[in-house]
Amino acid sequence: MDYSATISTTASPERAAQAITNYLEQWWSTRIERRTDGFTTRFNNSHATFHFEPGASPLSFEWKCTDAHMIIEDVEDAAEWVGTRLLWQITPTETGCKIQLTHEGLGPTLPCFEACQRGWQHFFETSLRDHLNSNTGAPNTT
């Protein structure tokens, strides 16, 4: 089973979509290199490059990892994320919205799963949620 989690926020669905796509520096990493068709995010000496997949809607979009060099202790294959996809789904609620992130291809059989799951718990489940609710995200700064 792939990593998947849902957060709730008082932010509007439109604000959530903007935060996810345009304000990565405020909740994921301050080291983002943007292109018109995607971006690269950097953490210390690690990086992951994502390509925006066609067919996105304002509240549902997909990013495919096309390059990765994730340095994780006890994980030999630094390119495990290549070919995985981030699937984002934003659903309006009466008080804001719910955001579901599924990292398709990031499952328990990958050696990096536990470390990557902890990363998503911090950056998605905590930092993005806190950024949307109070503008106090905790992105990686190194």
Side-chain angles (χ1 to χ4, degrees), residues 7-9 11 15-21 23-24 26-28 61 63 88 90 99-101 119-139:
I7 60 173
S8 295
T9 177
R15 181 168 178 259
Q18 287 292 316
I20 293 166
T21 57
Y23 300 105
L24 297 161
Q26 296 179 15
W27 63 270
W28 195 0
F61 35 92
W63 303 340
W88 300 90
I90 302 169
I99 306 165
Q100 181 176 11
L101 169 62
W120 281 129
Q121 287 168 339
H122 170 75
F123 293 112
F124 173 66
E125 296 176 44
T126 301
S127 183
L128 177 59
R129 184 199 63 218
D130 291 351
H131 168 68
L132 289 169
N133 288 338
S134 63
N135 285 324
T136 58

Side-chain angles (χ1 to χ4, degrees), residues 57-131:
S57 72
L59 301 180
S60 177
F61 35 92
E62 301 176 9
W63 303 340
K64 183 175 182 177
C65 184
T66 57
D67 181 48
H69 186 78
M70 306 294 282
I71 300 170
I72 301 169
E73 187 175 342
D74 297 325
V75 176
E76 290 182 27
D77 184 1
E80 282 187 331
W81 276 27
V82 173
T84 66
R85 296 184 318 149
L86 302 183
L87 310 175
W88 300 90
Q89 181 65 52
I90 302 169
T91 306
T93 65
E94 287 185 19
T95 59
C97 67
K98 289 184 181 181
I99 306 165
Q100 181 176 11
L101 169 62
T102 300
H103 191 155
E104 185 181 81
L106 178 65
T109 60
L110 288 183
C112 76
F113 179 74
E114 288 183 20
C116 293
Q117 182 178 32
R118 284 191 306 274
W120 281 129
Q121 287 168 339
H122 170 75
F123 293 112
F124 173 66
E125 296 176 44
T126 301
S127 183
L128 177 59
R129 184 199 63 218
D130 291 351
H131 168 68

Side-chain angles (χ1 to χ4, degrees), residues 24-32 41-46 122-123 127 136-142:
L24 297 161
E25 297 89 347
Q26 296 179 15
W27 63 270
W28 195 0
S29 174
T30 57
R31 297 175 56 207
I32 302 290
T41 182
R42 297 189 183 279
F43 302 85
N44 300 312
N45 293 322
S46 297
H122 170 75
F123 293 112
S127 183
T136 58
N140 182 71
T141 59
T142 59

